[in-house]
Each structure stands twice: as structure tokens, then as C-alpha cells.
Amino acid sequence: RTKMEYEWKPDEQGLQQILQLLKESQSPDTSTQRTVQQKLEQLNQYPDFNNYLIFVLTKLKSEDEPTRSLSGLILKNNVKAHFHNFPNGVTDFIKSECLNNIGDSSPLIRATVGILITTIASKGELQNWPELLPKLCSLLDSEDYNTCEGAFGALQKICEDSAEILDSDVLDRPLNIMIPKFLQFFKHSSPKIRSHAVACVNQFIISRTQALMLHIDSFIENLFALAGDEEPEVRKNVCRALVMLLEVRMDRLLPHMHNIVEYMLQRTQDHDENVALEACEFWLTLAEQPICKDVLCRHLSKLIPVLVNGMKYSEIDIILLKGDVEEDEAIPDSEQDIRPRFHRSRTVAQQHDEDGIEEEDDDDDELDDDDTISDWNLRKCSAAALDVLANVFRDELLPHILPLLKELLFHPEWVVKESGILVLGAIAEGCMQGMIPYLPELIPHLIQCLSDKKALVRSITCWTLSRYAHWVVSQPPDTYLKPLMTELLKRILDSNKRVQEAACSAFATLEEEACTELVPYLAYILDTLVFAFSKYQHKNLLILYDAIGTLADSVGHHLNKPEYIQMLMPPLIQKWNMLKDEDKDLFPLLECLSSVATALQSGFLPYCEPVYQRCVNLVQKTLAQAMLHNAQPDQYEAPDKDFMIVALDLLSGLAEGLGGNIEQLVARSNILTLMYQCMQDKMPEVRQSSFALLGDLTKACFQHVKPCIADFMPILGTNLNPEFISVCNNATWAIGEISIQMGIEMQPYIPMVLHQLVEIINRPNTPKTLLENTAITIGRLGYVCPQEVAPMLQQFIRPWCTSLRNIRDNEEKDSAFRGICTMISVNPSGVIQDFIFFCDAVASWISPKDDLRDMFCKILHGFKNQVGDENWRRFSDQFPLPLKERLAAYYGV
């Protein structure tokens, strides 16, 4: 450079002071740590403080490495926080020192300098440091190993942190030079450098970076050349690359697929678990590709045993899981073991004819049987791969699995037997049909395993049995349901916490499947669950709330018996009184109470007042805290809005359960004012829950809602935005409920909502639930204000009919169809073109009320008379046979 090199020398006294600080900051004592933090913050006032830090890192070779590295990491944090305030001289000094020392002889110092470089680069400085990339790339060619490795380490970090900007016009496309350069190093003699080279290129696969796509064939060729590399880190990066290429460039892998599968089979058995795990991801990714079946069918006989073998606990797992500790129920949980729970806000949905088949909700039975260890490991990945492959191959998998299962399930070694039970659970969904003949023998065997002496066997058995709950419930109850339930309830009271947890979760799944089949055993079930209250430590209590809530959802009003209420409510209310308003444990408890209140209906009356009051307070507190925070963000911290969301959802549960009985509580509180604020909250989940509550209060005590309608309707209108599916869904449903109560007085509000609703019902890819609620609300608006809605009939009749043909006969469907009939009589020409869809929708009714049936009859006969017999015959010849027969039988057309 032409300008004078920046000359800076540290002041000896200042240097000693900083070294002293660096030494102190390595002390384990927290109060010392705090003092050091404060001193560092003060030193940031001095412009050349950062010069001292870089000096210690790069020049002060007399100091020990940890101290020098620490100095660099503190500098990195300063770069993160204050880089834009560094004086120019300081910035230049730091940059040149970094580049001059990237080849330090110590790996720790090299790595620290690399971290510092990428932090500066990601502060938008790739543009303002044009010599960085060319310099690092030229250092790759250095004869000196340290320089080459240091430069590659820095480049790998930059590729990870700044992949997007590297592939943009901002920098004149450096990757066109960098990627071919990296590829040359795949054959380098040093394993560390080969590993960096592959890792760098891997950053650009998923984004299909043009510069890489140009060299894709040479990339793949070079990967194959590294297939047998002796360095695990290289093998791991090769596997990772192939997994990503499977997603983005299947076309290029196809010609080599046979060899790749063979290779991945070997790698999935690699003695380095990290390599095996990366390789195992390959099967998960392949299963999502349409060609999976063709590619793998020849290899199943080799692949299945490999996956099954990977499903055994490793010795490390067992140590980490304390697999030899059988009884730990008395040991309190450590707080960090408790995963944060997410509250699923209330969404209003319709009941379907093919009930029990729900797409939305099958995320509860994933393989989370050992969530305390490193979350993702070979066992889980193998089990997940077997699960997805079972869904691809279905029963074709069984010839490969059954012989293995026989051996595993009855094996004397518990680790092997345990893995067999996991295999059986993993294939449950995909191979259910083919497994049915074996279940009468297997289920009793599993029920026996529930009392195995090893806790880890008992816990996995709970999970596997829950995966077959659907079949168990389909058999006569005394055969399997009763013995299974009896044993699971014992496991809920197991002396091992992991088993308690698995049993509670499995029981919740069984409750969902069995529903009212459980009614005869309610006393026995409640007895167990209530006893568990006194026994459980913190983490499992949260799962117990869920099991109780699910029980209430499953048996509904059958829970409303004085003796059951007497058992269940006192422990719940006792917990409720113990918990403070800011305790997150309120979430699952509130969710549980919401289900219980809805099930108990009037039975909940004695408990409703304090519960209602507290919910209103939680909402009020949260809103107040949010207002303070918005006014003075540095003074007040933002509230956790989940408290408010869960409280709104419980109020919905109370309104649904208590119906008109909630009227006095509403009258004596300011809930409607609070809801007015919640409906305008910027967080979608808050709006979603407040619209659900609005709909429920509209049904329960409209007299209190009515005075606010003029304020609420414009807000509902602006929330008919399908970008936020659940918000839009609940707002739509609430509008429908309001229109039924308002009747003709709904008229002035129709223009605020109708156009959006018609737009939503015509949108492609709108979720089923939203379509159904939109159709019902349009029907209801037409029912109360036919003159206003009927002119639009032609724009929505077709999607309206198709979305409502599959829902059950109920009040909502009834009022919606009355609305459509009324609109047809106002505007008959609006339905002419799509009349066949109307016929089909009418035929979907099993037993309409008499007067609704007459309305259908009148429209069908009116249409037939208008077009004449000949035309009607031609028209009805297009009908599928079942439709033709139903209309003839029910309506005589």
C-alpha cells in the first residue's frame, strides 16, 4: 500500500493491565467474571483498546495460547457489537494483523484469527475488504502447511456465514474462481485440508449455486475419489454432500446410483458414529424422492439389517441415559431437562364423516423416547429411516423384517430385545396391514414386556404399544384394550421417571383412539391419574396434565358425574392455587382445565369463578406489560404473550362448557374491552385466540357482545387475510356465529367481509378447514341477508358445494344450507351453470330436518320443471350412479 503503514505501539502499563484482566476472566468465580465484564465495557471507551487485543492475539508470543486466544474472542465480541464505531486506523490495523497471522504455528491461534476474520466479513465488510478473498485464496497455494490450513479454516467459516452474498453480483461473483480452486484441494495430501475443501463446497449445494452447478460433474467425480478416505471428517463431509445432492441434483447421481447405495450401506456401518449418522440421513432423504422404490428394492435385503442394527442403544447412550438406574422417582428433575412446551392455540374446525383420520395431528408420536441425550443420534436416525421406508414400501418390507424381529423380540440380552421393540414400533404406520395377522400374538407379548425388569425396555414398550392403539381399540375390548389399559396404568405409577413419561404419553394416545370405550373404566383411570399427582416430579407432571386433558376430550360429558369431579378437581385446583402468575407451568395446566371445563359443562360451575377471574387477570396483566414495554422498551421488558394466549383459550373452554352460565361472569368483568385490544395485537396467535373466544361468547351470551359489534366487525374484516391461516379461520368462524345472532341487523356489515370471503373460497391451495369455515360463514350471511349476498352466488357456488359435501350433518351445516337455498330462490340464475355441484352437496346430507329437506325438494323439482324432462334426463345422465340413486330415493327426481 502507498499510504504509511499504521504504526502503533502498546503502552507497557496498559498492556499489563489488560493481561491481568484476561487472566482474571479465566477464573471460575462468577463475581470475578462480573467485575471483568464491567471493566471490559469501560475499556471499550478507549479507541485503541482493540489494538491491544489484536496485539496480544498476534504479536505477544510470550503469553500462553489460551490467554492470547481469549484476547481474540473478546475482540470478536467487540467487532460484533461496536464495529461501526472503530476508527479507520484501528480497523486497518486489525485487518492487516489478521491476514499476516492466519498461518500462526498454533492451531488454536489460527482458528481464533479465522473466527475474527469471518466476523469482520459478515459485518458487511466483504464489500469493504476487497483484498480479503483474493488474499486467502492465494494463501491456499502456500508451501507452508500452517498458512494453507489457516487460510482454509477462515474460508470455510466465511462460506458458512456469508454463502448468500458470495453468490451475488455485489462482489463480482468470486465463487467462479473459488469453487474450481477448492475442487483442486480434494486431492491434497493433508486430511485436514481435504476436509476443509469439501466443507467449503458443501455450503453451495442446497442453494444450487450457479458456479458449483457448472462444475457439478467434476465435483461428483472428486467426491467419489474421496469415498474411501481414511480421515473420518472427510468421509463425513462426503456423505453430507451426497445427501444434499440427492435433493438438488438427483439427475447427476442417477447413473451412479447403484454404487452410491452400496457405498452408503458401508458408511452407515462406519465405526465413527458421526460418519454413520451422516450416511444414515441418506436413507431418510432418499425416501422422500419419487424414485426411492425403484432404486432401493434390490438393496432392501442388505439395508434393513443395517438400519435395524443401528437401532440398538450404544454403550455411551446407556451411560448417558443412566440405563442402569432403575428407580429414580424420588430424585427431583434438574430444570434444564424440561423442554419448553409450545401451546397450540385454539383453531375452530368442522367434524368430518370419515372421523378419526386427521391429517393435522399425527406429530405427537414421533420417536422422542430418549430426548435427554444429544437429540439426534444414529439410533433415532435409523428408526426414522425405517419408519419412512415402511411408509414407502408398505408390506413389501415385511419379508426382510419379520425374520429379524423373531430373533430380536425374544432375545435374552435386553439391549437387543429393546431394539426389536423399537423396530416393531417404527414399522407400525407403514406396515400396519401386513402386521395384522401377527398382532394377536405380538400384543400380548408386548403387554408382558411392560413389566420387564429393565426400565428402558418398559419405556420403549409403552411407545410401541401406542403405535398399535388403533388396532387394539378395533378389537373386542376385553381381548386387548382392557389388559393393555390395566398394565399401562401400572406403568404410569412406575418407579422410573422415564417409564412414567412414556406411559403417560402412550396413555394419551390410547385415550384419543378409544374415546368413549374408556367410559366403563373411568373410576379406575382417574384413581391412577390422581395418585400420580402426588408421586410425580416436575417434568412428568406437565405430561400428566396432558393425559388428563386428553381424557376429558375423549370421554366428554361422561366425566360429568359427582364422584369423578370429586376425585379430579381438588388436586387440579390445588396445583392451580400453588402456581404463581408468572410460572410457565400454568400453560399445560390451563390447557388441561380448558378440556376439563368443556367436558364437565355445568359440573364445572363450582370452580369457574376463580378460574375465570384469574384468566381475565392474566390477559390484563400481559396487555399492561406490553403497553409499558412499547412506551419504554429499555425500561420494561416485553411480556411473554403465551400467558395471555393460554388464558384466552381457557376462557373459550369455559364459554363452551358453561354456555349461558358464563353470562354473569362476563357481565361482572371487562373481558370485552380486553378482547378489543387482543384482536388488534400484532402477534397472530393472540388474534387467533381472541377470535375463537369472540365466537364462543357470541354463542354463550350474545347480549354482552352485541354492543361491541360495531367496533369488532371492521377488525374482523381486516383479519380475513389467508396469509395467517389460523387467524383468518377463527375470524371467519366468529363472523358466522355473529351473523346468526344478529339476523337482519347484520346488513351494514356485509360489505366489510363478503368480498374477502368470496376471494378466499376461490383461492387455490386453501387448507380444508379454512374452506369449510368460509363456506359455512358465506351460507350464514346469505341466510340472514339473502338480498345482499345472493347477487354474488355465481362467484362462489361451486367451491361452496365442494367444500361442504364432506362435513357431518350439524347445526352449522344446517344454517349454511338454509342460507344457500334462500339465496337460490332470490337469484336462481346464479346456480344454473354449477347445478350438478349443488345436487352433489344436497346428496351429502344423511338426515336433514324436514323443512330443510322441503327446501331441497323445491329447488330440485323447480330446476327439473324449468328445463323439461328431456333436458333433465340428459343432465342427470352425467351423474355418478350413487348420486343418481340418492336423489331419486330421497327427493324423487
Side-chain angles (χ1 to χ4, degrees):
R1 282 197 290 197
T2 47
K3 60 177 178 177
M4 285 275 298
E5 271 303 327
Y6 181 67
E7 280 303 321
W8 179 85
K9 294 276 181 293
D11 164 67
E12 196 45 47
Q13 207 182 344
L15 187 59
Q16 287 315 314
Q17 196 187 340
I18 283 174
L19 285 171
Q20 183 55 38
L21 258 186
L22 289 169
K23 292 273 188 289
E24 283 173 10
S25 75
Q26 294 172 57
S27 130
D29 175 48
T30 38
S31 60
T32 315
Q33 292 271 349
R34 253 196 307 271
T35 326
V36 170
Q37 270 325 104
Q38 285 158 355
K39 285 188 185 156
L40 288 173
E41 276 311 308
Q42 286 157 9
L43 286 169
N44 263 320
Q45 317 296 315
Y46 300 101
D48 63 352
F49 169 47
N50 292 304
N51 286 357
Y52 282 95
L53 293 174
I54 190 83
F55 182 85
V56 174
L57 172 66
T58 60
K59 292 252 199 292
L60 204 60
K61 312 270 167 140
S62 54
E63 271 307 318
D64 62 286
E65 286 179 11
T67 302
R68 288 171 58 202
S69 171
L70 185 63
S71 179
L73 294 175
I74 291 171
L75 175 55
K76 174 208 68 160
N77 290 337
N78 286 349
V79 167
K80 264 198 167 136
H82 319 289
F83 190 64
H84 47 278
N85 301 333
F86 284 20
N88 274 345
V90 175
T91 303
D92 290 341
F93 183 53
I94 293 173
K95 286 178 175 177
S96 69
E97 280 303 296
C98 282
L99 285 178
N100 294 337
N101 290 278
I102 190 71
D104 193 284
S105 57
S106 144
L108 179 63
I109 301 299
R110 286 201 298 273
T112 311
V113 172
I115 290 173
L116 190 50
I117 289 176
T118 187
T119 309
I120 296 172
S122 58
K123 282 307 251 186
E125 284 297 305
L126 270 174
Q127 293 96 301
N128 307 339
W129 193 357
E131 65 272 29
L132 173 63
L133 293 173
K135 176 74 173 158
L136 289 175
C137 283
S138 69
L139 291 176
L140 295 182
D141 297 322
S142 162
E143 294 297 299
D144 174 48
Y145 169 78
N146 293 339
T147 306
C148 176
E149 198 279 322
F152 238 137
L155 279 166
Q156 183 180 333
K157 295 183 183 83
I158 292 171
C159 290
E160 287 166 7
D161 295 344
S162 309
E164 274 179 37
I165 192 162
L166 287 173
D167 186 31
S168 66
D169 286 323
V170 182
L171 297 175
D172 199 23
R173 307 243 165 226
L175 291 178
N176 292 335
I177 296 157
M178 290 163 66
I179 284 183
K181 181 103 188 158
F182 295 154
L183 290 174
Q184 292 167 12
F185 284 87
F186 277 35
K187 300 196 164 69
H188 196 278
S189 58
S190 149
K192 189 101 204 256
I193 293 200
R194 293 197 297 272
S195 175
H196 280 313
V198 184
C200 282
V201 181
N202 280 358
Q203 296 307 317
F204 304 102
I205 299 177
I206 290 294
S207 56
R208 297 182 166 79
T209 302
Q210 188 56 39
L212 174 55
M213 293 303 137
L214 289 171
H215 299 280
I216 194 79
D217 290 325
S218 99
F219 174 44
I220 290 173
E221 209 173 304
N222 278 304
L223 280 176
F224 289 165
L226 292 177
D229 202 292
E230 78 272 7
E231 170 64 30
E233 201 53 34
V234 175
R235 294 199 302 272
K236 185 177 104 178
N237 284 331
V238 170
C239 290
R240 183 171 289 173
L242 288 169
V243 171
M244 291 189 285
L245 285 167
L246 201 52
E247 282 186 48
V248 299
R249 289 309 303 257
M250 174 66 95
D251 57 323
R252 282 293 182 262
L253 295 186
L254 264 180
H256 315 283
M257 213 48 175
H258 183 80
N259 295 340
I260 295 176
V261 169
E262 292 284 323
Y263 173 66
M264 284 300 193
L265 270 170
Q266 285 177 325
R267 287 291 72 83
T268 308
Q269 306 170 73
D270 202 286
H271 25 264
D272 183 299
E273 169 153 356
N274 293 321
V275 179
L277 180 56
E278 279 301 332
C280 196
E281 296 279 353
F282 180 81
W283 314 113
L284 266 178
T285 305
L286 184 56
E288 286 161 13
Q289 308 293 330
I291 59 146
C292 175
K293 236 176 156 164
D294 299 341
V295 170
L296 279 186
C297 56
R298 303 202 300 279
H299 301 276
L300 283 182
S301 54
K302 284 189 187 149
L303 172 59
I304 299 303
V306 171
L307 291 177
V308 166
N309 197 37
M311 288 163 73
K312 288 205 289 281
Y313 276 126
S314 68
E315 287 170 28
I316 295 266
D317 291 340
I318 293 171
I319 294 164
L320 289 174
L321 286 171
K322 306 192 171 59
D324 47 352
V325 178
E326 292 299 323
E327 292 194 20
D328 61 358
E329 61 176 343
I331 304 165
D333 297 327
S334 71
E335 287 309 306
Q336 69 263 27
D337 283 349
I338 297 174
R339 289 195 293 191
R341 278 182 81 269
F342 296 103
H343 170 71
R344 263 224 290 262
S345 310
R346 205 172 170 97
T347 314
V348 186
Q350 295 301 322
Q351 296 257 288
H352 291 85
D353 283 339
E354 67 283 87
D355 234 16
I357 308 166
E358 289 182 29
E359 301 96 77
E360 278 83 56
D361 253 23
D362 56 350
D363 53 353
D364 323 345
D365 59 352
E366 294 302 313
L367 296 159
D368 55 356
D369 56 313
D370 39 25
D371 48 15
T372 37
I373 30 173
S374 64
D375 257 359
W376 194 236
N377 54 23
L378 185 59
R379 166 188 166 89
K380 284 196 169 173
C381 191
S382 305
L386 187 60
D387 184 352
V388 290
L389 289 172
N391 276 298
V392 172
F393 285 96
R394 301 281 163 182
D395 298 344
E396 291 166 44
L397 214 57
L398 290 178
H400 306 283
I401 289 236
L402 288 170
L404 297 171
L405 267 176
K406 263 203 190 82
E407 206 172 309
L408 300 173
L409 286 172
F410 300 92
H411 201 281
E413 276 178 64
W414 75 265
V415 178
V416 181
K417 175 174 167 182
E418 192 277 346
S419 72
I421 298 171
L422 174 57
V423 169
L424 193 54
I427 61 169
E429 199 186 339
C431 304
M432 183 55 91
Q433 274 322 102
M435 286 304 294
I436 287 176
Y438 306 97
L439 293 179
E441 182 186 347
L442 282 174
I443 298 293
H445 175 62
L446 287 172
I447 292 175
Q448 253 182 324
C449 293
L450 280 176
S451 36
D452 193 276
K453 58 181 194 302
K454 292 303 289 185
L456 288 171
V457 174
R458 299 198 298 275
S459 61
I460 196 63
T461 306
C462 291
W463 177 75
T464 291
L465 278 163
S466 75
R467 301 267 289 176
Y468 290 96
H470 187 74
W471 181 82
V472 166
V473 171
S474 70
Q475 303 299 302
D478 285 355
T479 331
Y480 308 106
L481 178 61
K482 207 170 161 186
L484 171 58
M485 191 184 57
T486 313
E487 284 309 306
L488 261 185
L489 288 171
K490 285 185 195 156
R491 292 294 67 84
I492 286 180
L493 303 179
D494 201 277
S495 57
N496 179 279
K497 291 193 290 192
R498 173 178 305 276
V499 179
Q500 295 170 357
E501 175 185 3
C504 247
S505 301
F507 196 72
T509 306
L510 184 64
E511 291 169 338
E512 284 173 351
E513 290 290 349
C515 293
T516 48
E517 297 273 342
L518 295 179
V519 173
Y521 317 108
L522 265 175
Y524 182 43
I525 294 171
L526 286 170
D527 225 8
T528 305
L529 297 180
V530 168
F531 187 66
F533 257 111
S534 56
K535 187 176 171 80
Y536 275 13
Q537 299 293 344
H538 186 177
K539 180 181 171 186
N540 286 350
L541 262 181
L542 308 183
I543 298 163
L544 181 61
Y545 293 141
D546 183 53
I548 290 173
T550 308
L551 180 67
D553 294 338
S554 303
V555 300
H557 64 90
H558 296 284
L559 202 55
N560 188 6
K561 290 220 173 90
E563 62 271 31
Y564 299 156
I565 298 177
Q566 229 6 74
M567 294 167 81
L568 185 57
M569 287 310 295
L572 283 175
I573 294 295
Q574 185 201 353
K575 293 283 178 206
W576 167 265
N577 291 332
M578 276 165 50
L579 292 176
K580 294 194 185 54
D581 272 354
E582 35 289 327
D583 192 328
K584 292 228 163 106
D585 285 8
L586 273 176
F587 299 169
L589 179 55
L590 285 159
E591 284 178 35
C592 168
L593 281 170
S594 176
S595 296
V596 170
T598 310
L600 290 185
Q601 297 172 347
S602 59
F604 198 79
L605 272 173
Y607 308 95
C608 66
E609 190 153 0
V611 173
Y612 179 91
Q613 242 4 88
R614 184 167 192 181
C615 287
V616 175
N617 287 347
L618 282 168
V619 176
Q620 192 151 13
K621 258 184 162 165
T622 313
L623 286 171
Q625 177 77 19
M627 280 173 76
L628 287 172
H629 170 72
N630 290 339
Q632 298 169 282
D634 27 350
Q635 243 48 72
Y636 298 97
E637 58 180 89
D640 180 343
K641 287 191 177 167
D642 281 352
F643 284 101
M644 171 157 79
I645 295 167
V646 182
L648 290 166
D649 286 347
L650 175 44
L651 288 168
S652 281
L654 288 175
E656 199 183 325
L658 299 172
N661 287 319
I662 203 171
E663 184 271 322
Q664 300 202 310
L665 295 171
V666 175
R668 295 200 297 268
S669 72
N670 60 340
I671 185 65
L672 287 155
T673 319
L674 298 174
M675 279 165 61
Y676 180 64
Q677 289 172 273
C678 292
M679 288 180 206
Q680 298 174 76
D681 197 276
K682 55 182 189 297
M683 187 174 178
E685 291 78 6
V686 176
R687 302 200 301 276
Q688 173 184 339
S689 292
S690 53
F691 293 141
L693 177 55
L694 173 59
D696 282 315
L697 289 179
T698 297
K699 289 170 80 169
C701 52
F702 189 63
Q703 67 267 46
H704 297 305
V705 178
K706 195 171 182 182
C708 311
I709 289 299
D711 293 325
F712 288 173
M713 281 308 299
I715 301 174
L716 285 163
T718 50
N719 276 282
L720 296 177
N721 168 8
E723 289 303 295
F724 301 102
I725 292 290
S726 302
V727 179
C728 182
N729 178 65
N730 289 2
T732 303
W733 174 72
I735 293 167
E737 290 298 339
I738 289 168
S739 59
I740 291 293
Q741 301 289 338
M742 292 283 282
I744 194 65
E745 293 175 63
M746 196 66 187
Q747 210 171 345
Y749 305 112
I750 302 265
M752 294 181 186
V753 299
L754 185 59
H755 278 276
Q756 296 95 301
L757 293 168
V758 172
E759 208 168 299
I760 290 166
I761 203 169
N762 282 295
R763 264 175 93 245
N765 303 330
T766 304
K768 203 166 74 182
T769 305
L770 179 54
L771 277 180
E772 291 162 358
N773 278 319
T774 306
I776 284 173
T777 292
I778 292 175
R780 290 176 147 192
L781 290 170
Y783 179 52
V784 296
C785 299
Q787 299 299 335
E788 280 67 27
V789 186
M792 308 267 294
L793 193 55
Q794 199 177 343
Q795 293 173 49
F796 61 73
I797 183 72
R798 187 169 179 167
W800 192 95
C801 293
T802 47
S803 55
L804 289 187
R805 61 185 300 264
N806 289 326
I807 67 167
R808 277 209 199 143
D809 295 7
N810 64 15
E811 280 307 311
E812 298 187 8
K813 185 171 174 177
D814 179 89
S815 55
F817 271 84
R818 287 169 193 273
I820 215 82
C821 292
T822 314
M823 288 188 278
I824 290 174
S825 60
V826 171
N827 175 17
S829 62
V831 75
I832 298 287
Q833 286 178 315
D834 299 301
F835 199 69
I836 185 167
F837 292 95
F838 176 72
C839 297
D840 179 55
V842 165
S844 76
W845 277 86
I846 310 291
S847 47
K849 295 188 179 144
D850 289 343
D851 57 337
L852 179 60
R853 210 174 127 176
D854 294 342
M855 291 166 100
F856 292 159
C857 232
K858 207 165 125 195
I859 292 173
L860 292 169
H861 281 280
F863 183 82
K864 183 177 171 181
N865 296 338
Q866 202 175 350
V867 298
D869 284 352
E870 184 48 42
N871 283 333
W872 173 261
R873 192 173 309 111
R874 264 208 301 259
F875 173 67
S876 59
D877 278 346
Q878 311 163 34
F879 291 3
L881 196 61
L883 174 56
K884 219 174 175 168
E885 288 172 348
R886 282 195 84 143
L887 291 178
Y890 282 70
Y891 302 100
V893 290

